[in-house]
């Protein structure tokens, strides 16, 4: 049995795509299991940069099967844009991509509803990506959603669209929105889209089960991060899905007994996009330096990410939630110029020392980080691929992460490319 999960251990943007790209080499199948077009994965291959929102990174590897499983919310237009962009760059997506019949589909009215909701929240806006993911999931749980399989059933599709559009138009009008939708127009557009979509559609749960049964190596590619999980994250400043390892089972149709290994990905510092508590955020000069050197801009929205320091309270929580048995540390090179590096070992809340991440969002917002300082290395690590070449202070920083979390660091990345990795655990890629 060979099913490995790569999951982000922070608020997303941990550099998972580069790590997935490394792990995709020995894999046979690469699977997206959660999120939607609100995710942004950037991969650099040679001098070429690729940005994905829906397609699994596996499409860059010839001979690999890529799967968009049922836990992913599908924006058909975005999917076609990514496929067309790859084709223009000489990469064909054909029978190497399978999309789940049970995926829920984002409609134009979902994006309008999200824009309206964010406007109504005012200063309390969550600062979503406005890709319509939340409203799509709302329809899913209110039993009004439209799945990929519904796109091929004319009567049912038109019936659902007419009912949904009537309700959505009333809601939009009630809140003063000028946007208005026509069910028949959306239906006409979907009839065109479904013909192009049809060759990619299949039973992904059955496919993945068969792949594992036959001994194929299946890699599950996480989107967003643990602290954005709708159940386990910093609610309500979260995404609308389950990026955690447990989301693999829900989003792929596989039982927990099929998962053989979970590896967590953590940035050597910490970032967050959008609103919400961020205890170790640094709004000063060093925080801005992290953003500049790390090129911390969202791949989906282009928004500048908030930057700060590694948070061991949140990291230990994320490791426990996911059951990660190994860690990959990314973007170590961003810290190269620092003479000393703060690491958060606890929170101070109104004079009380906290060692656990509080679920109350207002309490978390008032927590102040308790820092210990570690010496920096003031040497270039960018592009290093051998552990023995890392500066002693950089090795100590990696070891501190291991000591605080109790989990082995199996790989360190020192740049955005496939080859900019230091493998500490030679068995890490064996799954």
């Amino acid at each position: 049995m060979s099913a490995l999960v790569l999951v982000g251990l922070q608020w997303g943007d941990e550099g998972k795509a580069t790590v997935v790209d490394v792990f995709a080499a020995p894999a046979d199948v690469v699977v997206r299991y959660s999120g939607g077009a609100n995710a942004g994965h950037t991969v650099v291959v040679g001098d070429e940069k690729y940005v994905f929102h829906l397609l699994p990174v596996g499409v860059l590897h010839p001979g690999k099967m890529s799967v968009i499983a049922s836990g992913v919310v599908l924006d058909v237009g975005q999917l076609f844009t990514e496929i067309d962009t790859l084709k223009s760059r000489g990469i064909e997506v054909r029978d190497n991509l399978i999309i789940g019949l049970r995926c829920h589909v984002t409609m134009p009215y979902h994006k309008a509803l999200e824009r309206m909701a964010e406007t109504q929240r005012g200063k309390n806006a969550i600062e979503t990506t406005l890709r319509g993911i939340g409203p799509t999931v709302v329809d899913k749980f209110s039993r009004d959603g439209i799945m990929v399989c519904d796109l091929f059933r004319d009567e049912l599709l038109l019936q659902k669209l007419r009912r949904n559009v009537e309700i959505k138009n009333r809601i939009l009008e009630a809140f003063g929105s000028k946007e208005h939708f026509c069910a028949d127009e959306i239906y006409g557009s979907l009839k065109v889209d479904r013909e192009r979509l049809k060759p990619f559609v299949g039973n992904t749960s059955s496919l993945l089960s068969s792949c594992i049964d036959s001994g194929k190596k299946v890699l599950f590619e996480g989107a967003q991060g643990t602290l954005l999980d709708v159940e386990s994250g910093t609610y309500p400043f979260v995404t609308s899905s389950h990026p955690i390892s447990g989301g693999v089972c829900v989003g792929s149709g596989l039982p927990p007994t099929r998962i053989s290994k979970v590896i967590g990905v953590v940035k050597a510092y910490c970032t967050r996009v959008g609103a919400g508590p961020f205890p170790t955020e640094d709004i000063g000069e060093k925080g801005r330096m992290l953003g500049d050197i790390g090129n911390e801009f969202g791949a989906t929205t282009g928004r500048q990410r908030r930057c700060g320091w590694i948070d061991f309270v949140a990291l230990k929580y994320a490791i426990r939630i996911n059951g990660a048995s190994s860690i990959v540390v990314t973007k170590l090179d961003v810290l190269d110029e620092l003479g000393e590096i703060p690491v958060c070992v606890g929170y101070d809340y109104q004079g009380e020392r906290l060692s656990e991440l509080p679920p109350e969002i207002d309490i978390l917002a008032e927590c102040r980080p308790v820092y210990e300082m570690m010496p920096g290395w003031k040497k270039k690590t960018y592009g290093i691929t051998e552990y023995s070449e890392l500066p002693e202070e950089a090795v100590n920083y990696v070891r501190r992460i291991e000591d605080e979390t109790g989990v082995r660091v199996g790989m360190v990345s020192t740049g955005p490319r496939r080859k900019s990795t230091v493998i500490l655990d030679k068995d890490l890629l064996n799954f």
Side-chain angles (χ1 to χ4, degrees):
M1 182 172 66
S2 300
L4 185 149
V5 181
L6 277 173
V7 62
L9 297 177
Q10 294 163 310
W11 279 284
D13 307 311
E14 298 94 350
K16 293 183 295 298
T18 299
V19 179
V20 170
D21 191 47
V22 173
F23 278 81
D28 300 302
V29 185
V30 182
V31 188
R32 271 285 306 273
Y33 63 88
S34 70
N38 55 343
H41 284 179
T42 303
V43 181
V44 178
V45 182
D47 294 327
E48 297 290 324
K49 184 170 80 170
Y50 301 89
V51 179
F52 300 115
H53 301 283
L54 281 169
L55 287 175
V57 172
V59 295
L60 295 177
H61 293 259
K64 311 294 182 183
M65 175 65 69
S66 291
V67 176
I68 297 176
S70 59
V72 177
V73 170
L74 190 69
D75 183 327
V76 179
Q78 177 62 39
L79 175 72
F80 292 160
T81 296
E82 291 183 33
I83 291 174
D84 291 342
T85 299
L86 285 178
K87 184 176 181 179
S88 71
R89 300 173 70 174
I91 299 174
E92 293 278 357
V93 178
R94 292 180 176 172
D95 57 357
N96 59 330
L97 174 66
I98 304 294
I99 299 169
L101 285 160
R102 291 179 176 270
C103 288
H104 280 252
V105 182
T106 296
M107 298 294 169
Y109 48 78
H110 289 133
K111 297 177 183 180
L113 286 168
E114 187 158 36
R115 287 191 292 269
M116 179 271 294
E118 281 289 86
T119 299
Q120 292 297 316
R121 291 187 180 106
K123 66 178 182 179
N124 295 317
I126 296 171
E127 299 183 15
T128 73
T129 60
L130 301 178
R131 294 295 184 102
I133 307 300
T136 307
V137 175
V138 168
D139 274 4
K140 176 179 180 177
F141 282 97
S142 65
R143 289 74 145 185
D144 294 317
I146 295 175
M147 297 187 292
V148 166
C149 60
D150 297 331
L151 300 181
F152 304 97
R153 303 178 66 192
D154 287 344
E155 186 176 344
L156 175 65
L157 176 59
L158 192 54
Q159 178 186 2
K160 284 190 171 186
L161 281 172
R162 285 174 175 167
R163 181 178 66 243
N164 286 353
V165 166
E166 180 182 1
I167 295 170
K168 309 312 182 192
N169 281 340
R170 288 182 180 179
I171 294 172
L172 290 167
E173 183 180 359
F175 284 93
S177 173
K178 301 299 183 183
E179 297 190 77
H180 184 87
F181 296 92
C182 173
D184 289 359
E185 288 181 5
I186 297 174
Y187 173 69
S189 178
L190 289 173
K191 285 181 68 176
V192 176
D193 289 342
R194 72 186 182 186
E195 293 307 310
R196 186 178 179 188
L197 191 66
K198 191 173 184 179
F200 299 113
V201 172
N203 186 330
T204 52
S205 173
S206 177
L207 170 70
L208 292 172
S209 184
S210 296
C211 286
I212 294 173
D213 285 341
S214 64
K216 291 185 177 179
K217 297 177 180 180
V218 180
L219 173 64
F220 291 93
E221 172 185 347
Q224 289 102 18
T226 299
L227 301 179
L228 291 177
D229 185 90
V230 70
E231 185 73 29
S232 303
T234 52
Y235 187 89
F237 298 98
V238 292
T239 191
S240 301
S241 60
H242 295 290
I244 60 173
S245 60
V248 169
C249 302
V250 177
S252 71
L254 292 176
T257 50
R258 290 296 212 175
I259 307 302
S260 51
K261 187 188 296 185
V262 178
I263 296 177
V265 183
V266 58
K267 201 177 289 185
Y269 49 104
C270 198
T271 61
R272 178 167 198 167
V273 169
F278 182 3
T280 63
E281 182 176 15
D282 190 328
I283 60 174
E285 181 181 348
K286 288 186 177 180
R288 290 190 294 272
M289 184 206 74
L290 292 174
D292 291 340
I293 297 176
N295 191 29
E296 296 295 352
F297 295 90
T300 299
T301 63
R303 289 180 295 181
Q304 187 168 8
R305 296 174 186 142
R306 300 153 62 191
C307 296
W309 309 105
I310 196 165
D311 182 341
F312 289 133
V313 176
L315 183 55
K316 286 187 282 189
Y317 169 80
I319 289 170
R320 174 166 57 84
I321 290 292
N322 288 288
S325 59
S326 188
I327 299 173
V328 174
V329 177
T330 65
K331 305 186 82 167
L332 185 71
D333 54 293
V334 175
L335 304 179
D336 284 354
E337 297 182 12
L338 295 171
E340 59 179 8
I341 304 166
V343 296
C344 175
V345 296
Y347 296 155
D348 181 278
Y349 174 67
Q350 297 182 353
E352 179 184 0
R353 178 75 172 260
L354 302 182
S355 58
E356 285 281 344
L357 190 76
E360 302 91 349
I361 203 69
D362 58 326
I363 293 178
L364 183 61
E366 291 187 33
C367 285
R368 298 294 173 261
V370 177
Y371 285 126
E372 291 183 7
M373 304 304 294
M374 294 198 65
W377 38 96
K378 300 286 284 184
K379 298 176 184 176
K380 180 181 176 182
T381 64
Y382 184 88
I384 286 179
T385 59
E386 295 295 331
Y387 185 60
S388 59
E389 296 178 8
L390 287 174
E392 180 181 357
E393 294 85 357
V395 171
N396 290 338
Y397 189 78
V398 172
R399 287 176 176 168
R400 180 63 183 271
I401 295 173
E402 291 182 328
D403 292 343
E404 290 287 343
T405 63
V407 177
R408 174 77 185 276
V409 173
M411 186 169 82
V412 176
S413 80
T414 56
R417 292 169 172 80
R418 290 177 183 173
K419 295 182 179 179
S420 301
T421 54
V422 182
I423 307 296
L424 284 66
D425 182 355
K426 301 302 181 183
D427 293 325
L428 191 68
L429 297 178
N430 295 327
F431 67 99

